Amino acid sequence: MASDTAAGALKPAPAAPKSRGSVTGTRRTVAALFLLPALVLLGALVVYPIGYSVVRSFYDQSGDGFAGFDNYQALFTDDGIRAALKNNIIWVVFAPTVATALGLIFAVLTERVRWGTAFKLVVFMPMAISMLAAGIIFRLVYDQDPDKGVANAVWVGVHDTFAQSSALPKAHPGRESPLEPAGGGAFITRSPVSTGDTVTLPLVGVAPDLMPDDAARAAAPEPEGDRITGTTWQDFTRGKGVGTLNEVDPSELGYPGMRIEAVKDGKVVETATAGDDGTFSLSSKADGAHLRLPASNFAAPYNGIDWLGPSLVTPAIIGSYIWMWAGFAMVLIAAGLAGMPRELLEAARVDGANEWQVFRRVTVPLLAPVLAVVTVTLMINVLKVFDLVFIIAPGSSQDDANVLALELYRKGFSEDQPGIASAIAVFLLLLVIPVMWFNVRRLRREVRR
């Protein structure tokens, strides 16, 4: 017992525990050295600009006088900023919602088809295009001229399928014409016609190179005893002093498709359509009536929709944004679908649920976390949208399409009001922070699961 006690007394005390290092064994000093360049860049490119913008927002235009909250007050009193704020609300409400909904639809519908991967690739491809290039593309797509703008080319094509425009929009009576204005763009004969008469309805105003392709040489009307015959034509012959006024000359062309109405006591009793040579014929019902050329003969060609006009410029630009970002939403939602437990879907089908019920009651609730992340990410993105609005909106409509990021640029560089521009920047940051906080919190919650 004594020897054991002595041995215990001679045994050295246990060494103090070493401080625990990182999982990889890296010392804190080395880790700090590696992080230092990133922290310096973060401070120079993020922290300092934010701090400077906050301080600058409290000073006047020159930067010498303290303005207090005057610049922030301008956010809610300046008409341009208020219009931008209203448009930003429209962007935040509609753009992320529609893009996420389309992404969900694309992801679900392409899940079972054989060519789904190729379709997803095509839909996602616009994400590889810069905002600048997308803006230029859609500026051309929305061009007012149907010969240039794809949107109006399609719209005009559909419209003309159901309501053909006139080929003679500028035709009108010439000198000493038997026609006179009837109101609303129509023309009517000065005197009534009788059975057996031949009627000439000369018009001018259509350039020779704009005459309809099916226009043939005009023919003088031939009398018919029990009918009223006539001709409507382009009463113009090239060359000075060539041709006879209000008479059909050999080189003159008829107006094909011209509609003629016989009007008696304010009512249309009969109608006729001119042939390729401009000739037409009416029955004895038109006896004693005036002949009228309705305004539809001279309707200007339908030129489509003014996509970039004041009323539609914001929805049009939102459409271009959705074209770019629907693919982003689709890819994230498709990844969520791939990790979804298939047993729940099959169990719902076994219980008698149809595909719509499975989608609404099983698929969407399971995808709710992914849908929330996608929507919130797009909300952060649209709060900063600038490129598309700046490029697509023409100068005449830029005020109507204005957003906060664009107004920041205009106040800071075009109007030389850096104090207000800094206030807009701080206001945008305050709008983004809650949305970012919500997104980070949700992501952390998902990681814990």
Side-chain angles (χ1 to χ4, degrees):
M1 287 294 292
S3 61
D4 292 342
T5 304
L10 295 175
K11 189 175 181 180
K18 296 182 179 180
S19 59
R20 297 183 62 184
S22 66
V23 176
T24 59
T26 306
R27 295 180 180 179
R28 292 181 179 179
T29 305
V30 177
L33 289 175
F34 274 103
L35 289 174
L36 184 61
L39 293 175
V40 171
L41 289 175
L42 183 66
L45 300 179
V46 178
V47 178
Y48 173 75
I50 292 176
Y52 180 81
S53 297
V54 172
V55 174
R56 186 65 182 84
S57 66
F58 290 102
Y59 284 82
D60 60 11
Q61 181 175 337
S62 64
D64 299 328
F66 185 75
F69 288 93
D70 291 348
N71 293 325
Y72 289 95
Q73 184 179 358
L75 299 181
F76 305 98
T77 57
D78 184 277
D79 290 338
I81 300 177
R82 290 170 61 186
L85 181 59
K86 182 194 72 174
N87 285 333
N88 263 104
I89 294 173
I90 295 173
W91 272 87
V92 170
V93 171
F94 290 101
T97 304
V98 177
T100 304
L102 285 177
L104 174 62
I105 293 171
F106 291 154
V108 172
L109 294 183
T110 58
E111 187 182 20
R112 298 183 181 181
V113 296
R114 188 175 302 174
W115 42 267
T117 302
F119 178 83
K120 291 176 182 176
L121 178 63
V122 172
V123 176
F124 186 76
M125 196 175 296
M127 284 292 298
I129 302 175
S130 68
M131 286 283 195
L132 174 65
I136 294 173
I137 290 170
F138 275 88
R139 180 66 183 268
L140 296 174
V141 167
Y142 291 134
D143 196 285
Q144 179 68 32
D145 186 355
D147 294 332
K148 298 178 182 178
V150 176
N152 263 345
V154 174
W155 192 268
V156 170
V158 173
H159 174 273
D160 289 349
T161 300
F162 300 98
Q164 188 68 34
S165 300
S166 171
L168 310 166
K170 296 184 179 180
H172 61 273
R175 295 180 292 113
E176 302 177 15
S177 173
L179 293 166
E180 62 181 1
F187 303 101
I188 195 168
T189 55
R190 299 178 186 273
S191 56
V193 297
S194 302
T195 303
D197 288 350
T198 58
V199 184
T200 55
L201 304 177
L203 296 169
V204 295
V206 181
D209 56 337
L210 297 180
M211 287 291 290
D213 295 335
D214 55 347
R217 286 191 176 184
E222 297 291 338
E224 297 182 19
D226 57 345
R227 299 186 69 83
I228 300 168
T229 57
T231 301
T232 176
W233 82 102
Q234 172 87 342
D235 189 21
F236 174 79
T237 303
R238 290 180 182 272
K240 186 176 181 180
V242 179
T244 304
L245 186 65
N246 295 332
E247 291 187 14
V248 178
D249 295 307
S251 63
E252 294 172 349
L253 299 176
Y255 281 150
M258 181 71 75
R259 180 180 175 85
I260 299 96
E261 297 175 342
V263 181
K264 188 185 296 184
D265 298 328
K267 296 181 180 179
V268 178
V269 295
E270 192 175 3
T271 61
T273 302
D276 293 347
D277 58 359
T279 58
F280 61 90
S281 175
L282 295 164
S283 69
S284 58
K285 293 180 181 179
D287 184 49
H290 289 262
L291 301 188
R292 182 175 65 187
L293 303 179
S296 58
N297 290 317
F298 315 107
Y302 182 67
N303 205 35
I305 296 175
D306 188 7
W307 296 102
L308 300 181
S311 59
L312 290 178
V313 62
T314 295
I317 300 174
I318 291 176
S320 65
Y321 177 89
I322 293 171
W323 175 77
M324 291 190 66
W325 287 88
F328 166 81
M330 177 195 67
V331 170
L332 293 187
I333 295 171
L337 278 173
M340 184 182 298
R342 300 295 165 176
E343 299 82 6
L344 297 178
L345 302 179
E346 295 302 326
R349 294 188 180 100
V350 170
D351 289 341
N354 56 36
E355 291 301 319
W356 168 247
Q357 291 173 327
V358 171
F359 172 76
R360 185 164 60 91
R361 297 182 178 274
V362 181
T363 304
V364 173
L366 290 176
L367 286 176
V370 178
L371 296 176
V373 170
V374 172
T375 304
V376 172
T377 303
L378 293 179
M379 287 174 65
I380 296 173
N381 188 267
V382 299
L383 282 172
K384 304 178 294 181
V385 68
F386 166 81
D387 318 58
L388 290 177
V389 180
F390 182 74
I391 297 168
I392 296 177
S396 58
S397 299
Q398 201 166 82
D399 288 341
D400 300 285
N402 200 10
V403 291
L404 287 175
L406 178 58
E407 186 65 17
L408 186 156
Y409 169 81
R410 293 167 68 176
K411 294 293 185 187
F413 297 99
S414 300
E415 303 177 17
D416 193 22
Q417 299 183 36
I420 295 180
S422 299
I424 296 174
V426 174
F427 183 65
L428 270 176
L429 177 64
L430 295 176
L431 291 178
V432 170
I433 286 176
V435 184
M436 291 180 62
W437 175 80
F438 175 82
N439 214 14
V440 171
R441 184 180 177 186
R442 178 172 283 278
L443 287 174
R444 287 180 176 176
R445 190 184 305 163
E446 292 299 318
V447 170
R448 294 194 192 101
R449 292 181 182 178

Short mmCIF file of all heavy atoms in Angstrom, two decimals, residues 18-68:
data_model
loop_
_atom_site.label_atom_id
_atom_site.label_comp_id
_atom_site.label_asym_id
_atom_site.label_seq_id
_atom_site.Cartn_x
_atom_site.Cartn_y
_atom_site.Cartn_z
N LYS A 18 -5.61 20.81 -24.96
CA LYS A 18 -5.30 21.74 -26.04
C LYS A 18 -6.59 22.37 -26.59
O LYS A 18 -7.64 21.76 -26.58
CB LYS A 18 -4.55 21.02 -27.17
CG LYS A 18 -3.20 20.49 -26.74
CD LYS A 18 -2.50 19.81 -27.92
CE LYS A 18 -1.12 19.30 -27.52
NZ LYS A 18 -0.44 18.66 -28.67
N SER A 19 -6.44 23.58 -27.04
CA SER A 19 -7.61 24.23 -27.64
C SER A 19 -7.98 23.52 -28.92
O SER A 19 -7.11 23.11 -29.70
CB SER A 19 -7.29 25.71 -27.94
OG SER A 19 -6.19 25.79 -28.82
N ARG A 20 -9.25 23.37 -29.11
CA ARG A 20 -9.74 22.65 -30.28
C ARG A 20 -9.59 23.51 -31.52
O ARG A 20 -9.93 24.69 -31.55
CB ARG A 20 -11.22 22.28 -30.09
CG ARG A 20 -11.45 21.35 -28.92
CD ARG A 20 -12.91 20.96 -28.83
NE ARG A 20 -13.32 20.25 -30.04
CZ ARG A 20 -14.60 19.85 -30.25
NH1 ARG A 20 -15.52 20.13 -29.36
NH2 ARG A 20 -14.89 19.21 -31.37
N GLY A 21 -9.06 22.92 -32.57
CA GLY A 21 -8.93 23.63 -33.84
C GLY A 21 -10.16 23.43 -34.68
O GLY A 21 -11.15 22.83 -34.27
N SER A 22 -10.12 23.93 -35.88
CA SER A 22 -11.24 23.76 -36.80
C SER A 22 -11.28 22.34 -37.30
O SER A 22 -10.37 21.54 -37.08
CB SER A 22 -11.09 24.73 -37.98
OG SER A 22 -9.95 24.38 -38.74
N VAL A 23 -12.35 21.99 -38.00
CA VAL A 23 -12.51 20.64 -38.52
C VAL A 23 -11.39 20.29 -39.47
O VAL A 23 -10.87 19.17 -39.50
CB VAL A 23 -13.89 20.52 -39.23
CG1 VAL A 23 -14.03 19.14 -39.85
CG2 VAL A 23 -14.99 20.76 -38.22
N THR A 24 -10.94 21.23 -40.27
CA THR A 24 -9.88 20.98 -41.25
C THR A 24 -8.49 21.15 -40.65
O THR A 24 -7.49 20.97 -41.35
CB THR A 24 -10.02 21.94 -42.44
OG1 THR A 24 -9.95 23.29 -41.95
CG2 THR A 24 -11.34 21.73 -43.15
N GLY A 25 -8.41 21.54 -39.38
CA GLY A 25 -7.12 21.72 -38.77
C GLY A 25 -6.49 23.08 -39.05
O GLY A 25 -5.32 23.30 -38.74
N THR A 26 -7.22 23.98 -39.66
CA THR A 26 -6.68 25.29 -40.01
C THR A 26 -6.67 26.20 -38.79
O THR A 26 -7.65 26.27 -38.06
CB THR A 26 -7.53 25.93 -41.12
OG1 THR A 26 -7.62 25.03 -42.20
CG2 THR A 26 -6.89 27.23 -41.59
N ARG A 27 -5.57 26.88 -38.56
CA ARG A 27 -5.49 27.81 -37.45
C ARG A 27 -6.32 29.06 -37.74
O ARG A 27 -6.48 29.44 -38.89
CB ARG A 27 -4.04 28.19 -37.20
CG ARG A 27 -3.18 27.02 -36.74
CD ARG A 27 -1.75 27.48 -36.50
NE ARG A 27 -0.89 26.38 -36.05
CZ ARG A 27 0.42 26.50 -35.79
NH1 ARG A 27 0.98 27.69 -35.93
NH2 ARG A 27 1.11 25.48 -35.39
N ARG A 28 -6.78 29.70 -36.67
CA ARG A 28 -7.63 30.88 -36.84
C ARG A 28 -6.88 32.01 -37.51
O ARG A 28 -7.44 32.76 -38.30
CB ARG A 28 -8.15 31.32 -35.48
CG ARG A 28 -9.13 30.35 -34.84
CD ARG A 28 -9.62 30.87 -33.52
NE ARG A 28 -10.58 29.95 -32.92
CZ ARG A 28 -11.16 30.14 -31.74
NH1 ARG A 28 -10.85 31.23 -31.04
NH2 ARG A 28 -12.02 29.26 -31.26
N THR A 29 -5.59 32.12 -37.21
CA THR A 29 -4.81 33.20 -37.81
C THR A 29 -4.70 33.02 -39.32
O THR A 29 -4.87 33.97 -40.10
CB THR A 29 -3.41 33.24 -37.20
OG1 THR A 29 -3.51 33.35 -35.79
CG2 THR A 29 -2.60 34.41 -37.76
N VAL A 30 -4.45 31.78 -39.74
CA VAL A 30 -4.36 31.50 -41.18
C VAL A 30 -5.71 31.73 -41.85
O VAL A 30 -5.78 32.31 -42.95
CB VAL A 30 -3.88 30.05 -41.41
CG1 VAL A 30 -3.86 29.71 -42.89
CG2 VAL A 30 -2.50 29.86 -40.80
N ALA A 31 -6.79 31.30 -41.21
CA ALA A 31 -8.13 31.51 -41.77
C ALA A 31 -8.43 33.00 -41.91
O ALA A 31 -8.99 33.46 -42.93
CB ALA A 31 -9.18 30.84 -40.90
N ALA A 32 -8.02 33.78 -40.89
CA ALA A 32 -8.26 35.22 -40.96
C ALA A 32 -7.48 35.85 -42.10
O ALA A 32 -7.97 36.77 -42.78
CB ALA A 32 -7.89 35.86 -39.63
N LEU A 33 -6.25 35.39 -42.34
CA LEU A 33 -5.45 35.93 -43.43
C LEU A 33 -6.09 35.64 -44.79
O LEU A 33 -6.05 36.46 -45.70
CB LEU A 33 -4.03 35.35 -43.37
CG LEU A 33 -3.15 35.86 -42.22
CD1 LEU A 33 -1.82 35.13 -42.20
CD2 LEU A 33 -2.93 37.36 -42.35
N PHE A 34 -6.65 34.44 -44.92
CA PHE A 34 -7.31 34.10 -46.17
C PHE A 34 -8.59 34.90 -46.37
O PHE A 34 -8.96 35.24 -47.49
CB PHE A 34 -7.61 32.59 -46.21
CG PHE A 34 -6.47 31.77 -46.69
CD1 PHE A 34 -5.68 31.05 -45.80
CD2 PHE A 34 -6.16 31.70 -48.04
CE1 PHE A 34 -4.62 30.29 -46.24
CE2 PHE A 34 -5.10 30.93 -48.49
CZ PHE A 34 -4.33 30.23 -47.59
N LEU A 35 -9.29 35.19 -45.26
CA LEU A 35 -10.55 35.93 -45.37
C LEU A 35 -10.34 37.43 -45.52
O LEU A 35 -11.24 38.14 -45.96
CB LEU A 35 -11.41 35.68 -44.12
CG LEU A 35 -12.04 34.29 -43.98
CD1 LEU A 35 -12.74 34.17 -42.63
CD2 LEU A 35 -13.03 34.05 -45.12
N LEU A 36 -9.15 37.90 -45.14
CA LEU A 36 -8.91 39.34 -45.15
C LEU A 36 -9.15 40.00 -46.51
O LEU A 36 -9.82 41.04 -46.57
CB LEU A 36 -7.49 39.63 -44.66
CG LEU A 36 -7.13 41.11 -44.51
CD1 LEU A 36 -8.06 41.78 -43.50
CD2 LEU A 36 -5.66 41.26 -44.09
N PRO A 37 -8.64 39.45 -47.65
CA PRO A 37 -8.92 40.10 -48.94
C PRO A 37 -10.41 40.21 -49.24
O PRO A 37 -10.88 41.23 -49.74
CB PRO A 37 -8.20 39.20 -49.95
CG PRO A 37 -7.15 38.50 -49.16
CD PRO A 37 -7.73 38.31 -47.80
N ALA A 38 -11.16 39.14 -48.91
CA ALA A 38 -12.60 39.18 -49.16
C ALA A 38 -13.28 40.22 -48.29
O ALA A 38 -14.20 40.93 -48.74
CB ALA A 38 -13.21 37.79 -48.92
N LEU A 39 -12.81 40.32 -47.01
CA LEU A 39 -13.41 41.31 -46.12
C LEU A 39 -13.10 42.73 -46.57
O LEU A 39 -13.95 43.62 -46.47
CB LEU A 39 -12.90 41.09 -44.69
CG LEU A 39 -13.35 39.78 -44.01
CD1 LEU A 39 -12.68 39.63 -42.65
CD2 LEU A 39 -14.87 39.75 -43.86
N VAL A 40 -11.88 42.93 -47.08
CA VAL A 40 -11.52 44.25 -47.58
C VAL A 40 -12.38 44.63 -48.79
O VAL A 40 -12.90 45.75 -48.88
CB VAL A 40 -10.02 44.29 -47.94
CG1 VAL A 40 -9.67 45.60 -48.67
CG2 VAL A 40 -9.17 44.17 -46.69
N LEU A 41 -12.52 43.68 -49.71
CA LEU A 41 -13.37 43.94 -50.88
C LEU A 41 -14.82 44.17 -50.46
O LEU A 41 -15.50 45.04 -51.01
CB LEU A 41 -13.27 42.78 -51.86
CG LEU A 41 -11.94 42.64 -52.62
CD1 LEU A 41 -11.94 41.38 -53.47
CD2 LEU A 41 -11.73 43.87 -53.51
N LEU A 42 -15.29 43.37 -49.50
CA LEU A 42 -16.66 43.54 -49.03
C LEU A 42 -16.86 44.92 -48.42
O LEU A 42 -17.86 45.60 -48.65
CB LEU A 42 -17.00 42.46 -48.01
CG LEU A 42 -18.44 42.45 -47.47
CD1 LEU A 42 -19.41 42.10 -48.58
CD2 LEU A 42 -18.57 41.45 -46.32
N GLY A 43 -15.89 45.35 -47.64
CA GLY A 43 -16.01 46.67 -47.04
C GLY A 43 -15.92 47.78 -48.07
O GLY A 43 -16.65 48.79 -47.98
N ALA A 44 -15.02 47.62 -49.07
CA ALA A 44 -14.83 48.68 -50.07
C ALA A 44 -15.98 48.76 -51.06
O ALA A 44 -16.34 49.85 -51.52
CB ALA A 44 -13.52 48.46 -50.81
N LEU A 45 -16.54 47.59 -51.41
CA LEU A 45 -17.55 47.57 -52.48
C LEU A 45 -18.99 47.51 -51.96
O LEU A 45 -19.91 47.78 -52.74
CB LEU A 45 -17.30 46.37 -53.40
CG LEU A 45 -15.94 46.34 -54.10
CD1 LEU A 45 -15.81 45.09 -54.95
CD2 LEU A 45 -15.74 47.59 -54.95
N VAL A 46 -19.18 47.19 -50.69
CA VAL A 46 -20.54 47.06 -50.16
C VAL A 46 -20.77 47.98 -48.96
O VAL A 46 -21.65 48.85 -48.97
CB VAL A 46 -20.85 45.59 -49.78
CG1 VAL A 46 -22.26 45.48 -49.20
CG2 VAL A 46 -20.71 44.69 -50.98
N VAL A 47 -19.96 47.77 -47.92
CA VAL A 47 -20.21 48.50 -46.67
C VAL A 47 -19.99 50.00 -46.85
O VAL A 47 -20.84 50.83 -46.47
CB VAL A 47 -19.31 47.96 -45.55
CG1 VAL A 47 -19.53 48.77 -44.26
CG2 VAL A 47 -19.59 46.49 -45.31
N TYR A 48 -18.86 50.38 -47.46
CA TYR A 48 -18.57 51.80 -47.64
C TYR A 48 -19.61 52.49 -48.52
O TYR A 48 -20.11 53.58 -48.16
CB TYR A 48 -17.18 52.00 -48.20
CG TYR A 48 -16.88 53.43 -48.57
CD1 TYR A 48 -16.63 54.39 -47.59
CD2 TYR A 48 -16.89 53.83 -49.91
CE1 TYR A 48 -16.37 55.71 -47.92
CE2 TYR A 48 -16.64 55.15 -50.26
CZ TYR A 48 -16.38 56.08 -49.26
OH TYR A 48 -16.15 57.39 -49.59
N PRO A 49 -19.97 51.93 -49.72
CA PRO A 49 -21.01 52.60 -50.53
C PRO A 49 -22.34 52.75 -49.80
O PRO A 49 -23.00 53.78 -49.93
CB PRO A 49 -21.14 51.68 -51.76
CG PRO A 49 -19.84 50.98 -51.85
CD PRO A 49 -19.40 50.78 -50.44
N ILE A 50 -22.73 51.73 -49.03
CA ILE A 50 -23.99 51.84 -48.28
C ILE A 50 -23.90 52.95 -47.25
O ILE A 50 -24.80 53.80 -47.13
CB ILE A 50 -24.34 50.50 -47.61
CG1 ILE A 50 -24.70 49.44 -48.67
CG2 ILE A 50 -25.51 50.68 -46.65
CD1 ILE A 50 -24.96 48.06 -48.10
N GLY A 51 -22.80 52.96 -46.49
CA GLY A 51 -22.64 54.01 -45.49
C GLY A 51 -22.58 55.40 -46.10
O GLY A 51 -23.21 56.34 -45.58
N TYR A 52 -21.87 55.52 -47.21
CA TYR A 52 -21.77 56.84 -47.86
C TYR A 52 -23.13 57.28 -48.39
O TYR A 52 -23.49 58.47 -48.29
CB TYR A 52 -20.76 56.78 -49.00
CG TYR A 52 -20.59 58.09 -49.73
CD1 TYR A 52 -19.77 59.09 -49.22
CD2 TYR A 52 -21.28 58.34 -50.92
CE1 TYR A 52 -19.62 60.30 -49.87
CE2 TYR A 52 -21.15 59.55 -51.58
CZ TYR A 52 -20.31 60.52 -51.05
OH TYR A 52 -20.18 61.73 -51.70
N SER A 53 -23.89 56.35 -48.95
CA SER A 53 -25.21 56.70 -49.48
C SER A 53 -26.14 57.16 -48.37
O SER A 53 -26.92 58.11 -48.54
CB SER A 53 -25.82 55.50 -50.22
OG SER A 53 -25.05 55.15 -51.34
N VAL A 54 -26.07 56.49 -47.21
CA VAL A 54 -26.92 56.89 -46.08
C VAL A 54 -26.57 58.31 -45.64
O VAL A 54 -27.45 59.16 -45.43
CB VAL A 54 -26.77 55.90 -44.92
CG1 VAL A 54 -27.49 56.41 -43.68
CG2 VAL A 54 -27.32 54.53 -45.30
N VAL A 55 -25.26 58.58 -45.51
CA VAL A 55 -24.84 59.92 -45.09
C VAL A 55 -25.20 60.96 -46.14
O VAL A 55 -25.73 62.04 -45.82
CB VAL A 55 -23.32 59.94 -44.81
CG1 VAL A 55 -22.84 61.36 -44.52
CG2 VAL A 55 -22.98 59.02 -43.65
N ARG A 56 -24.95 60.64 -47.43
CA ARG A 56 -25.21 61.61 -48.50
C ARG A 56 -26.69 61.92 -48.65
O ARG A 56 -27.07 63.01 -49.11
CB ARG A 56 -24.66 61.06 -49.84
CG ARG A 56 -24.72 62.03 -51.00
CD ARG A 56 -23.82 63.22 -50.75
NE ARG A 56 -23.89 64.20 -51.82
CZ ARG A 56 -24.80 65.14 -51.94
NH1 ARG A 56 -25.77 65.21 -51.02
NH2 ARG A 56 -24.77 66.02 -52.92
N SER A 57 -27.55 60.99 -48.26
CA SER A 57 -28.99 61.21 -48.41
C SER A 57 -29.51 62.30 -47.48
O SER A 57 -30.63 62.78 -47.67
CB SER A 57 -29.75 59.91 -48.16
OG SER A 57 -29.62 59.50 -46.80
N PHE A 58 -28.71 62.69 -46.49
CA PHE A 58 -29.14 63.74 -45.57
C PHE A 58 -28.58 65.11 -45.93
O PHE A 58 -28.74 66.06 -45.16
CB PHE A 58 -28.74 63.38 -44.14
CG PHE A 58 -29.50 62.23 -43.57
CD1 PHE A 58 -28.94 60.97 -43.49
CD2 PHE A 58 -30.81 62.38 -43.13
CE1 PHE A 58 -29.64 59.90 -42.98
CE2 PHE A 58 -31.52 61.33 -42.60
CZ PHE A 58 -30.94 60.07 -42.53
N TYR A 59 -27.93 65.21 -47.10
CA TYR A 59 -27.36 66.50 -47.52
C TYR A 59 -28.04 66.98 -48.79
O TYR A 59 -28.66 66.20 -49.53
CB TYR A 59 -25.86 66.37 -47.73
CG TYR A 59 -25.08 66.32 -46.44
CD1 TYR A 59 -24.96 65.12 -45.72
CD2 TYR A 59 -24.50 67.46 -45.91
CE1 TYR A 59 -24.26 65.08 -44.52
CE2 TYR A 59 -23.80 67.43 -44.71
CZ TYR A 59 -23.69 66.24 -44.02
OH TYR A 59 -23.01 66.20 -42.84
N ASP A 60 -27.88 68.29 -49.04
CA ASP A 60 -28.55 68.89 -50.20
C ASP A 60 -27.82 68.56 -51.49
O ASP A 60 -26.89 67.74 -51.51
CB ASP A 60 -28.68 70.41 -50.01
CG ASP A 60 -27.33 71.08 -49.85
OD1 ASP A 60 -26.30 70.41 -50.09
OD2 ASP A 60 -27.29 72.27 -49.48
N GLN A 61 -28.24 69.21 -52.58
CA GLN A 61 -27.71 68.91 -53.90
C GLN A 61 -26.20 69.12 -53.99
O GLN A 61 -25.48 68.32 -54.58
CB GLN A 61 -28.41 69.77 -54.96
CG GLN A 61 -27.94 69.52 -56.39
CD GLN A 61 -28.76 70.33 -57.38
OE1 GLN A 61 -29.88 70.71 -57.10
NE2 GLN A 61 -28.18 70.58 -58.54
N SER A 62 -25.70 70.19 -53.37
CA SER A 62 -24.27 70.49 -53.43
C SER A 62 -23.45 69.60 -52.52
O SER A 62 -22.24 69.42 -52.71
CB SER A 62 -24.02 71.96 -53.07
OG SER A 62 -24.41 72.21 -51.72
N GLY A 63 -24.08 69.03 -51.50
CA GLY A 63 -23.37 68.20 -50.55
C GLY A 63 -22.77 68.97 -49.39
O GLY A 63 -22.12 68.37 -48.52
N ASP A 64 -22.97 70.26 -49.35
CA ASP A 64 -22.40 71.10 -48.28
C ASP A 64 -23.40 71.37 -47.16
O ASP A 64 -23.00 71.49 -46.00
CB ASP A 64 -21.92 72.44 -48.86
CG ASP A 64 -20.82 72.24 -49.90
OD1 ASP A 64 -20.05 71.27 -49.74
OD2 ASP A 64 -20.77 73.02 -50.86
N GLY A 65 -24.69 71.48 -47.51
CA GLY A 65 -25.69 71.82 -46.51
C GLY A 65 -26.48 70.61 -46.05
O GLY A 65 -26.83 69.74 -46.84
N PHE A 66 -26.73 70.55 -44.73
CA PHE A 66 -27.51 69.45 -44.18
C PHE A 66 -28.99 69.66 -44.50
O PHE A 66 -29.56 70.70 -44.18
CB PHE A 66 -27.29 69.38 -42.67
CG PHE A 66 -27.95 68.20 -42.02
CD1 PHE A 66 -27.43 66.93 -42.15
CD2 PHE A 66 -29.12 68.36 -41.28
CE1 PHE A 66 -28.04 65.83 -41.55
CE2 PHE A 66 -29.73 67.28 -40.67
CZ PHE A 66 -29.19 66.02 -40.81
N ALA A 67 -29.61 68.66 -45.13
CA ALA A 67 -31.01 68.78 -45.57
C ALA A 67 -31.97 68.00 -44.69
O ALA A 67 -33.19 68.07 -44.89
CB ALA A 67 -31.15 68.31 -47.01
N GLY A 68 -31.45 67.23 -43.75
CA GLY A 68 -32.33 66.45 -42.90
C GLY A 68 -33.10 65.40 -43.70
O GLY A 68 -32.52 64.68 -44.51
#
